[in-house]
Amino acid sequence: GENVEQHPSTLSVQEGDSAVIKCTYSDSASNYFPWYKQELGKRPQLIIDIRSNVGEKKDQRIAVTLNKTAKHFSLHITETQPEDSAVYFCAASNALRRGYQKVTFGTGTKLQVIP
Amino acid sequence: EAGVAQSPRYKIIEKRQSVAFWCNPISGHATLYWYQQILGQGPKLLIQFQNNGVVDDSQLPKDRFSAERLKGVDSTLKIQPAKLEDSAVYLCASSSIRDRAYEQYFGPGTRLTVT
C-alpha cells in the first residue's frame, strides 16, 4: 500500500519568514495530493491540493510543488503569520477508476509561527 | 451546504465497554470515510464506503470494530469491547464523485477516552 512520509515533525519560524514542509510517497499510481491544516481540537481543513498533471500550484501565500519522478511534494507558506500556527498534514490519493479514492496521510508537521 | 455531522462530540467509557458513533455526511456525497486519529498522529483510515458498500476496511480491527451504512447515507461505527489504545478522535469524512471528486470534507470528530 501507499506510504507517506512527512518532514519535519515540528517547525518554528519567525513571523514573516517562509515555512517549507516536505512529503514523499511510495505509490507511483497516486495522482492527487491534498494538504490539510488542523488547528488544536478542530477538524482537518483542506488548504490546497495538486493533481499529478500539474507541477506547481499557488494560492496567495500558499504554494505546493510536485515532483512525480522523485515522488515528493512540498508545501510552501510565505510571509507566515501567527494564525498559520497549526498542524499540517500532507496526503496522497489514488483515485481509482470506480470513482472513489484511497487516501493516505502523513504524520503531520506542527508549525509554530513566533511573533 | 450543511457540513458533515457527527455525534457524540465526546465520550468517556471504561475498557471492555461498547460505544457507537454516528455520522451524517454532506447530502449527495456517495463516499464516506471513518478515520482514527491518535493524539500527535495523522488520520488513519479505518473503513471507506461507496454508497452502502464497503470499498476498503483493510485497517479496521474487525474483532472489535464494526461499521455500517445501511441506506447509503448516514453511518455508525461501533467498538465492542473497547481497549485503552482505542482512545482517539474518530473523524468522519465524505466526498462526492461529482465536481471536486477528490476533496474530503471532515466532520468535527468524536473524542473517545477509554479508562
Side-chain angles (χ1 to χ4, degrees):
Chain A
E2 176 66 278
N3 182 47
V4 177
E5 295 189 358
Q6 183 171 348
H7 301 281
S9 56
T10 59
L11 179 61
S12 292
V13 299
Q14 291 292 132
E15 181 177 358
D17 287 351
S18 296
V20 180
I21 302 170
K22 299 182 179 182
C23 289
T24 60
Y25 62 99
S26 61
D27 189 349
S28 57
S30 290
N31 54 19
Y32 173 65
F33 305 92
W35 286 88
Y36 289 86
K37 176 183 180 182
Q38 188 174 30
E39 297 176 1
L40 190 63
K42 297 193 175 181
R43 74 192 77 187
Q45 294 206 306
L46 181 72
I47 56 171
I48 195 167
D49 56 14
I50 191 167
R51 300 191 183 188
S52 57
N53 57 349
V54 176
E56 184 175 357
K57 184 177 177 180
K58 189 174 181 179
D59 182 4
Q60 299 182 339
R61 297 186 297 108
I62 295 174
V64 58
T65 58
L66 171 65
N67 183 326
K68 286 176 57 180
T69 303
K71 296 198 191 78
H72 67 70
F73 55 113
S74 301
L75 178 71
H76 304 253
I77 305 175
T78 58
E79 301 172 19
T80 53
Q81 301 168 3
E83 52 265 37
D84 294 330
S85 296
V87 178
Y88 291 81
F89 293 98
C90 63
S93 165
N94 176 6
L96 305 178
R97 290 181 183 178
R98 295 177 220 175
Y100 58 85
Q101 59 174 334
K102 181 166 184 174
V103 184
T104 303
F105 283 81
T107 50
T109 296
K110 184 175 182 179
L111 173 64
Q112 181 184 19
V113 180
I114 304 166
Chain B
E1 61 184 359
V4 177
Q6 287 188 250
S7 68
R9 294 294 312 278
Y10 306 92
K11 191 73 177 179
I12 301 174
I13 61 172
E14 294 182 351
K15 60 183 179 182
R16 292 187 290 273
Q17 287 187 324
S18 62
V19 64
F21 312 129
W22 175 81
C23 172
N24 191 29
I26 291 174
S27 177
H29 280 195
T31 310
L32 186 147
Y33 314 77
W34 282 103
Y35 289 94
Q36 179 192 59
Q37 187 174 25
I38 293 173
L39 187 64
Q41 298 181 18
K44 182 182 91 170
L45 180 70
L46 293 175
I47 190 167
Q48 181 175 342
F49 293 93
Q50 181 79 357
N51 296 307
N52 61 350
V54 176
V55 297
D56 189 343
D57 62 357
S58 57
Q59 298 191 94
L60 186 74
K62 298 181 186 64
D63 58 334
R64 299 184 300 107
F65 285 65
S66 64
E68 59 182 15
R69 193 185 184 197
L70 291 176
K71 296 183 179 179
V73 181
D74 56 351
S75 174
T76 55
L77 175 70
K78 297 179 181 178
I79 308 175
Q80 181 180 8
K83 293 184 175 181
L84 295 177
E85 57 261 37
D86 298 332
S87 294
V89 175
Y90 290 84
L91 292 164
C92 179
S94 68
S95 65
S96 168
I97 60 173
R98 302 187 303 271
D99 299 328
R100 288 186 58 83
Y102 304 155
E103 182 172 353
Q104 294 183 90
Y105 295 83
F106 284 87
T110 296
R111 183 177 297 277
L112 174 67
T113 302
V114 182
T115 63

mmCIF file of all heavy atoms in Angstrom, chain A residues 70-100:
data_model
loop_
_atom_site.group_PDB
_atom_site.id
_atom_site.type_symbol
_atom_site.label_atom_id
_atom_site.label_comp_id
_atom_site.label_asym_id
_atom_site.label_seq_id
_atom_site.Cartn_x
_atom_site.Cartn_y
_atom_site.Cartn_z
ATOM 1 N N ALA A 70 10.538 12.002 -8.611
ATOM 2 C CA ALA A 70 11.147 11.738 -7.311
ATOM 3 C C ALA A 70 10.122 11.322 -6.266
ATOM 4 O O ALA A 70 10.483 10.953 -5.145
ATOM 5 C CB ALA A 70 11.907 12.969 -6.835
ATOM 6 N N LYS A 71 8.850 11.396 -6.597
ATOM 7 C CA LYS A 71 7.757 11.062 -5.679
ATOM 8 C C LYS A 71 7.838 11.913 -4.423
ATOM 9 O O LYS A 71 7.782 11.393 -3.297
ATOM 10 C CB LYS A 71 7.740 9.575 -5.326
ATOM 11 C CG LYS A 71 7.475 8.630 -6.485
ATOM 12 C CD LYS A 71 7.038 7.274 -5.953
ATOM 13 C CE LYS A 71 7.010 6.227 -7.051
ATOM 14 N NZ LYS A 71 8.374 5.738 -7.373
ATOM 15 N N HIS A 72 7.955 13.218 -4.610
ATOM 16 C CA HIS A 72 7.849 14.074 -3.447
ATOM 17 C C HIS A 72 7.106 15.359 -3.784
ATOM 18 O O HIS A 72 7.048 15.790 -4.928
ATOM 19 C CB HIS A 72 9.205 14.326 -2.770
ATOM 20 C CG HIS A 72 10.181 15.121 -3.557
ATOM 21 N ND1 HIS A 72 10.046 16.468 -3.816
ATOM 22 C CD2 HIS A 72 11.356 14.755 -4.120
ATOM 23 C CE1 HIS A 72 11.085 16.893 -4.507
ATOM 24 N NE2 HIS A 72 11.879 15.878 -4.710
ATOM 25 N N PHE A 73 6.487 15.928 -2.759
ATOM 26 C CA PHE A 73 5.739 17.166 -2.913
ATOM 27 C C PHE A 73 5.926 17.993 -1.655
ATOM 28 O O PHE A 73 6.222 17.455 -0.582
ATOM 29 C CB PHE A 73 4.259 16.911 -3.218
ATOM 30 C CG PHE A 73 3.521 16.036 -2.245
ATOM 31 C CD1 PHE A 73 2.507 16.566 -1.457
ATOM 32 C CD2 PHE A 73 3.794 14.671 -2.141
ATOM 33 C CE1 PHE A 73 1.804 15.765 -0.576
ATOM 34 C CE2 PHE A 73 3.098 13.862 -1.254
ATOM 35 C CZ PHE A 73 2.098 14.423 -0.475
ATOM 36 N N SER A 74 5.816 19.281 -1.822
ATOM 37 C CA SER A 74 6.143 20.202 -0.731
ATOM 38 C C SER A 74 5.104 21.301 -0.611
ATOM 39 O O SER A 74 4.511 21.712 -1.602
ATOM 40 C CB SER A 74 7.515 20.840 -0.955
ATOM 41 O OG SER A 74 8.534 19.868 -1.049
ATOM 42 N N LEU A 75 4.946 21.764 0.608
ATOM 43 C CA LEU A 75 4.078 22.910 0.908
ATOM 44 C C LEU A 75 4.965 24.087 1.283
ATOM 45 O O LEU A 75 5.870 23.947 2.106
ATOM 46 C CB LEU A 75 3.145 22.580 2.075
ATOM 47 C CG LEU A 75 2.215 23.710 2.533
ATOM 48 C CD1 LEU A 75 1.131 23.966 1.492
ATOM 49 C CD2 LEU A 75 1.595 23.383 3.892
ATOM 50 N N HIS A 76 4.685 25.225 0.665
ATOM 51 C CA HIS A 76 5.451 26.432 0.937
ATOM 52 C C HIS A 76 4.484 27.499 1.443
ATOM 53 O O HIS A 76 3.484 27.797 0.778
ATOM 54 C CB HIS A 76 6.137 26.942 -0.338
ATOM 55 C CG HIS A 76 7.009 25.931 -1.000
ATOM 56 N ND1 HIS A 76 8.389 26.002 -0.974
ATOM 57 C CD2 HIS A 76 6.716 24.806 -1.700
ATOM 58 C CE1 HIS A 76 8.897 24.976 -1.638
ATOM 59 N NE2 HIS A 76 7.907 24.224 -2.084
ATOM 60 N N ILE A 77 4.783 28.050 2.602
ATOM 61 C CA ILE A 77 3.994 29.161 3.129
ATOM 62 C C ILE A 77 4.929 30.358 3.241
ATOM 63 O O ILE A 77 5.963 30.301 3.923
ATOM 64 C CB ILE A 77 3.405 28.834 4.519
ATOM 65 C CG1 ILE A 77 2.597 27.531 4.482
ATOM 66 C CG2 ILE A 77 2.516 29.992 4.994
ATOM 67 C CD1 ILE A 77 2.097 27.077 5.845
ATOM 68 N N THR A 78 4.582 31.436 2.563
ATOM 69 C CA THR A 78 5.401 32.647 2.620
ATOM 70 C C THR A 78 4.761 33.664 3.562
ATOM 71 O O THR A 78 3.563 33.577 3.872
ATOM 72 C CB THR A 78 5.567 33.266 1.232
ATOM 73 O OG1 THR A 78 4.255 33.563 0.712
ATOM 74 C CG2 THR A 78 6.256 32.308 0.271
ATOM 75 N N GLU A 79 5.584 34.590 4.020
ATOM 76 C CA GLU A 79 5.116 35.670 4.907
ATOM 77 C C GLU A 79 4.236 35.112 6.022
ATOM 78 O O GLU A 79 3.095 35.545 6.218
ATOM 79 C CB GLU A 79 4.355 36.716 4.091
ATOM 80 C CG GLU A 79 5.193 37.349 2.989
ATOM 81 C CD GLU A 79 4.347 38.237 2.072
ATOM 82 O OE1 GLU A 79 3.244 38.647 2.470
ATOM 83 O OE2 GLU A 79 4.810 38.485 0.946
ATOM 84 N N THR A 80 4.782 34.170 6.760
ATOM 85 C CA THR A 80 3.993 33.481 7.773
ATOM 86 C C THR A 80 3.440 34.448 8.815
ATOM 87 O O THR A 80 4.053 35.469 9.155
ATOM 88 C CB THR A 80 4.825 32.412 8.475
ATOM 89 O OG1 THR A 80 6.044 32.997 8.968
ATOM 90 C CG2 THR A 80 5.150 31.278 7.532
ATOM 91 N N GLN A 81 2.265 34.096 9.321
ATOM 92 C CA GLN A 81 1.576 34.876 10.338
ATOM 93 C C GLN A 81 1.246 33.977 11.518
ATOM 94 O O GLN A 81 1.160 32.751 11.358
ATOM 95 C CB GLN A 81 0.289 35.461 9.728
ATOM 96 C CG GLN A 81 0.552 36.343 8.518
ATOM 97 C CD GLN A 81 -0.714 36.689 7.741
ATOM 98 O OE1 GLN A 81 -1.825 36.322 8.124
ATOM 99 N NE2 GLN A 81 -0.541 37.401 6.641
ATOM 100 N N PRO A 82 1.046 34.547 12.700
ATOM 101 C CA PRO A 82 0.755 33.701 13.872
ATOM 102 C C PRO A 82 -0.434 32.772 13.659
ATOM 103 O O PRO A 82 -0.432 31.646 14.165
ATOM 104 C CB PRO A 82 0.479 34.746 14.976
ATOM 105 C CG PRO A 82 1.306 35.918 14.579
ATOM 106 C CD PRO A 82 1.243 35.954 13.071
ATOM 107 N N GLU A 83 -1.407 33.198 12.879
ATOM 108 C CA GLU A 83 -2.579 32.340 12.646
ATOM 109 C C GLU A 83 -2.274 31.153 11.742
ATOM 110 O O GLU A 83 -3.121 30.282 11.544
ATOM 111 C CB GLU A 83 -3.742 33.158 12.077
ATOM 112 C CG GLU A 83 -3.403 33.995 10.868
ATOM 113 C CD GLU A 83 -3.047 35.433 11.234
ATOM 114 O OE1 GLU A 83 -2.393 35.652 12.278
ATOM 115 O OE2 GLU A 83 -3.424 36.335 10.457
ATOM 116 N N ASP A 84 -1.069 31.110 11.192
ATOM 117 C CA ASP A 84 -0.663 29.927 10.429
ATOM 118 C C ASP A 84 -0.239 28.794 11.360
ATOM 119 O O ASP A 84 -0.055 27.656 10.912
ATOM 120 C CB ASP A 84 0.506 30.260 9.491
ATOM 121 C CG ASP A 84 0.121 31.230 8.381
ATOM 122 O OD1 ASP A 84 -1.054 31.222 7.960
ATOM 123 O OD2 ASP A 84 0.998 32.008 7.943
ATOM 124 N N SER A 85 -0.055 29.089 12.632
ATOM 125 C CA SER A 85 0.348 28.059 13.599
ATOM 126 C C SER A 85 -0.740 26.981 13.675
ATOM 127 O O SER A 85 -1.904 27.266 13.944
ATOM 128 C CB SER A 85 0.573 28.690 14.973
ATOM 129 O OG SER A 85 1.651 29.596 14.936
ATOM 130 N N ALA A 86 -0.337 25.744 13.428
ATOM 131 C CA ALA A 86 -1.268 24.610 13.393
ATOM 132 C C ALA A 86 -0.458 23.359 13.053
ATOM 133 O O ALA A 86 0.757 23.423 12.869
ATOM 134 C CB ALA A 86 -2.351 24.831 12.342
ATOM 135 N N VAL A 87 -1.151 22.247 12.957
ATOM 136 C CA VAL A 87 -0.535 21.021 12.440
ATOM 137 C C VAL A 87 -0.958 20.866 10.981
ATOM 138 O O VAL A 87 -2.140 21.000 10.656
ATOM 139 C CB VAL A 87 -0.952 19.782 13.253
ATOM 140 C CG1 VAL A 87 -0.319 18.529 12.656
ATOM 141 C CG2 VAL A 87 -0.533 19.937 14.713
ATOM 142 N N TYR A 88 -0.005 20.602 10.134
ATOM 143 C CA TYR A 88 -0.261 20.443 8.710
ATOM 144 C C TYR A 88 -0.024 18.987 8.308
ATOM 145 O O TYR A 88 0.983 18.388 8.683
ATOM 146 C CB TYR A 88 0.651 21.369 7.896
ATOM 147 C CG TYR A 88 0.304 22.830 8.075
ATOM 148 C CD1 TYR A 88 0.739 23.540 9.191
ATOM 149 C CD2 TYR A 88 -0.488 23.492 7.145
ATOM 150 C CE1 TYR A 88 0.401 24.869 9.389
ATOM 151 C CE2 TYR A 88 -0.825 24.826 7.317
ATOM 152 C CZ TYR A 88 -0.381 25.503 8.451
ATOM 153 O OH TYR A 88 -0.732 26.818 8.632
ATOM 154 N N PHE A 89 -0.975 18.449 7.567
ATOM 155 C CA PHE A 89 -0.862 17.078 7.083
ATOM 156 C C PHE A 89 -0.844 17.072 5.562
ATOM 157 O O PHE A 89 -1.672 17.725 4.924
ATOM 158 C CB PHE A 89 -2.061 16.236 7.547
ATOM 159 C CG PHE A 89 -2.117 15.999 9.022
ATOM 160 C CD1 PHE A 89 -2.921 16.784 9.829
ATOM 161 C CD2 PHE A 89 -1.374 14.982 9.596
ATOM 162 C CE1 PHE A 89 -2.984 16.573 11.194
ATOM 163 C CE2 PHE A 89 -1.430 14.760 10.961
ATOM 164 C CZ PHE A 89 -2.235 15.561 11.759
ATOM 165 N N CYS A 90 0.082 16.299 5.013
ATOM 166 C CA CYS A 90 0.015 16.021 3.583
ATOM 167 C C CYS A 90 -0.697 14.686 3.400
ATOM 168 O O CYS A 90 -0.846 13.907 4.352
ATOM 169 C CB CYS A 90 1.413 15.966 2.966
ATOM 170 S SG CYS A 90 2.474 14.637 3.593
ATOM 171 N N ALA A 91 -1.131 14.429 2.206
ATOM 172 C CA ALA A 91 -1.798 13.168 1.907
ATOM 173 C C ALA A 91 -1.579 12.830 0.442
ATOM 174 O O ALA A 91 -1.337 13.712 -0.388
ATOM 175 C CB ALA A 91 -3.290 13.240 2.229
ATOM 176 N N ALA A 92 -1.659 11.548 0.163
ATOM 177 C CA ALA A 92 -1.567 11.072 -1.216
ATOM 178 C C ALA A 92 -2.771 10.192 -1.487
ATOM 179 O O ALA A 92 -3.188 9.403 -0.641
ATOM 180 C CB ALA A 92 -0.276 10.293 -1.428
ATOM 181 N N SER A 93 -3.310 10.368 -2.670
ATOM 182 C CA SER A 93 -4.536 9.669 -3.020
ATOM 183 C C SER A 93 -4.412 9.004 -4.374
ATOM 184 O O SER A 93 -3.829 9.561 -5.304
ATOM 185 C CB SER A 93 -5.697 10.665 -3.030
ATOM 186 O OG SER A 93 -6.820 10.127 -3.674
ATOM 187 N N ASN A 94 -5.002 7.840 -4.448
ATOM 188 C CA ASN A 94 -5.059 7.114 -5.710
ATOM 189 C C ASN A 94 -6.528 7.046 -6.136
ATOM 190 O O ASN A 94 -7.285 6.229 -5.648
ATOM 191 C CB ASN A 94 -4.489 5.715 -5.513
ATOM 192 C CG ASN A 94 -4.615 4.871 -6.766
ATOM 193 O OD1 ASN A 94 -5.035 5.360 -7.807
ATOM 194 N ND2 ASN A 94 -4.295 3.607 -6.672
ATOM 195 N N ALA A 95 -6.937 7.929 -6.989
ATOM 196 C CA ALA A 95 -8.338 7.960 -7.419
ATOM 197 C C ALA A 95 -8.557 6.795 -8.376
ATOM 198 O O ALA A 95 -8.049 6.781 -9.492
ATOM 199 C CB ALA A 95 -8.643 9.279 -8.101
ATOM 200 N N LEU A 96 -9.301 5.826 -7.889
ATOM 201 C CA LEU A 96 -9.491 4.610 -8.664
ATOM 202 C C LEU A 96 -10.553 4.799 -9.736
ATOM 203 O O LEU A 96 -11.339 5.720 -9.709
ATOM 204 C CB LEU A 96 -9.876 3.478 -7.726
ATOM 205 C CG LEU A 96 -8.896 3.243 -6.570
ATOM 206 C CD1 LEU A 96 -9.374 2.133 -5.675
ATOM 207 C CD2 LEU A 96 -7.509 2.972 -7.102
ATOM 208 N N ARG A 97 -10.594 3.881 -10.670
ATOM 209 C CA ARG A 97 -11.475 4.024 -11.821
ATOM 210 C C ARG A 97 -12.941 4.023 -11.442
ATOM 211 O O ARG A 97 -13.767 4.571 -12.149
ATOM 212 C CB ARG A 97 -11.207 2.896 -12.805
ATOM 213 C CG ARG A 97 -9.871 3.015 -13.491
ATOM 214 C CD ARG A 97 -9.656 1.881 -14.469
ATOM 215 N NE ARG A 97 -8.345 1.955 -15.093
ATOM 216 C CZ ARG A 97 -7.890 1.064 -15.950
ATOM 217 N NH1 ARG A 97 -8.631 0.029 -16.279
ATOM 218 N NH2 ARG A 97 -6.690 1.191 -16.470
ATOM 219 N N ARG A 98 -13.256 3.392 -10.286
ATOM 220 C CA ARG A 98 -14.657 3.295 -9.924
ATOM 221 C C ARG A 98 -15.175 4.559 -9.244
ATOM 222 O O ARG A 98 -16.228 4.570 -8.692
ATOM 223 C CB ARG A 98 -14.887 2.091 -9.012
ATOM 224 C CG ARG A 98 -14.622 0.784 -9.703
ATOM 225 C CD ARG A 98 -14.781 -0.376 -8.744
ATOM 226 N NE ARG A 98 -13.757 -1.364 -8.983
ATOM 227 C CZ ARG A 98 -13.585 -2.439 -8.242
ATOM 228 N NH1 ARG A 98 -14.325 -2.653 -7.193
ATOM 229 N NH2 ARG A 98 -12.637 -3.308 -8.512
ATOM 230 N N GLY A 99 -14.389 5.603 -9.273
ATOM 231 C CA GLY A 99 -14.879 6.884 -8.771
ATOM 232 C C GLY A 99 -14.608 7.143 -7.313
ATOM 233 O O GLY A 99 -15.069 8.121 -6.760
ATOM 234 N N TYR A 100 -13.867 6.284 -6.639
ATOM 235 C CA TYR A 100 -13.529 6.572 -5.263
ATOM 236 C C TYR A 100 -12.024 6.538 -5.121
ATOM 237 O O TYR A 100 -11.306 6.096 -5.987
ATOM 238 C CB TYR A 100 -14.205 5.602 -4.298
ATOM 239 C CG TYR A 100 -13.883 4.139 -4.541
ATOM 240 C CD1 TYR A 100 -12.751 3.545 -4.010
ATOM 241 C CD2 TYR A 100 -14.728 3.360 -5.305
ATOM 242 C CE1 TYR A 100 -12.461 2.221 -4.242
ATOM 243 C CE2 TYR A 100 -14.439 2.025 -5.548
ATOM 244 C CZ TYR A 100 -13.312 1.460 -5.008
ATOM 245 O OH TYR A 100 -13.032 0.145 -5.238
#
